[in-house]
């Protein structure tokens, strides 16, 4: 008789364990779906770049997660200046921040008058210098 009771307790414990694991998986799945919807709704803040070219102020606004600055016409931010490399610098949005990275340019990329050696976070009001072109940065929430 005790063997039947022990068997019943074992079966009950196994069922309880599987029920608990199933409940945990359902909770984790729901949380993952909720987070993916939240991240999917999040928009990239608009990046506005202002610089002077041919004695005129040029203003461009970008909402893509990556902007390449360079002399190459295929660059998102195309600048006609001999001191700028074809692919000079990259602005990318990740980890909820805009980042600036030099792409091994000949004349270097500067952030607020300091040479950029490693990727750095940029904030509204920062000033970039690619070659001899100064670029003012503004970040706008959409």
């Amino acid at each position: 008789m005790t063997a039947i009771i022990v068997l019943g307790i074992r079966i009950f414990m196994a069922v309880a364990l599987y029920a608990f694991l199933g409940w945990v998986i359902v909770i984790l799945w729901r949380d993952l779906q909720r987070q993916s919807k939240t991240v999917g709704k999040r928009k990239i803040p608009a990046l506005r770049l202002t610089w002077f070219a041919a004695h005129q102020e040029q203003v461009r606004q970008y909402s893509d997660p990556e902007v390449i600055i360079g002399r190459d016409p295929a660059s998102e931010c195309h600048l006609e200046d001999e001191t700028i490399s074809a692919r000079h610098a990259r602005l990318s949005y990740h980890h909820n921040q805009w980042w600036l990275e030099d792409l091994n340019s000949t004349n270097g990329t500067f952030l607020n008058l300091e040479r950029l050696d490693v990727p750095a976070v940029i904030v509204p009001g920062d000033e970039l210098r690619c070659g001899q072109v100064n670029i003012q940065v503004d970040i706008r929430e959409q």
Side-chain angles (χ1 to χ4, degrees), residues 10-25:
R10 282 181 158 180
I11 291 173
F12 174 75
M13 293 299 283
V15 169
L17 177 64
Y18 283 116
F20 175 74
L21 290 174
W23 177 70
V24 167
I25 289 171

Side-chain angles (χ1 to χ4, degrees), residues 19-37:
F20 175 74
L21 290 174
W23 177 70
V24 167
I25 289 171
V26 167
I27 295 295
L28 289 173
W29 180 256
R30 286 181 184 165
D31 188 49
L32 183 63
Q33 286 179 330
R34 184 183 51 80
Q35 285 182 0
S36 69
K37 287 179 183 177

Side-chain angles (χ1 to χ4, degrees), residues 6-134:
V6 170
L7 180 63
I9 292 173
R10 282 181 158 180
I11 291 173
F12 174 75
M13 293 299 283
V15 169
L17 177 64
Y18 283 116
F20 175 74
L21 290 174
W23 177 70
V24 167
I25 289 171
V26 167
I27 295 295
L28 289 173
W29 180 256
R30 286 181 184 165
D31 188 49
L32 183 63
Q33 286 179 330
R34 184 183 51 80
Q35 285 182 0
S36 69
K37 287 179 183 177
T38 303
V39 169
K41 290 179 183 177
R42 196 176 300 157
K43 296 204 181 225
I44 297 172
L47 181 67
R48 183 178 172 162
L49 302 179
T50 307
W51 69 91
F52 284 95
H55 304 295
Q56 284 186 327
E57 184 178 77
Q58 301 286 323
V59 178
R60 295 229 177 96
Q61 188 161 317
Y62 303 94
S63 58
D64 295 332
E66 183 177 276
V67 176
I68 301 293
I69 300 172
R71 200 174 62 232
D72 183 9
S75 299
E76 287 83 6
C77 184
H78 173 70
L79 301 174
E80 276 299 324
D81 190 285
E82 293 299 317
T83 61
I84 295 178
S85 299
R87 290 177 49 89
H88 196 96
R90 175 189 351 240
L91 292 160
S92 57
Y93 186 78
H94 55 89
H95 298 102
N96 295 325
Q97 296 175 319
W98 277 103
W99 292 73
L100 174 66
E101 175 183 7
D102 182 58
L103 298 176
N104 297 322
S105 60
T106 305
N107 294 321
T109 302
F110 293 81
L111 176 61
N112 298 325
L113 303 177
E114 291 186 29
R115 188 177 185 97
L116 192 66
D117 296 321
V118 296
V121 174
I122 58 172
V123 296
D126 276 350
E127 187 173 306
L128 315 177
R129 191 175 89 220
C130 297
Q132 293 179 353
V133 178
N134 292 326

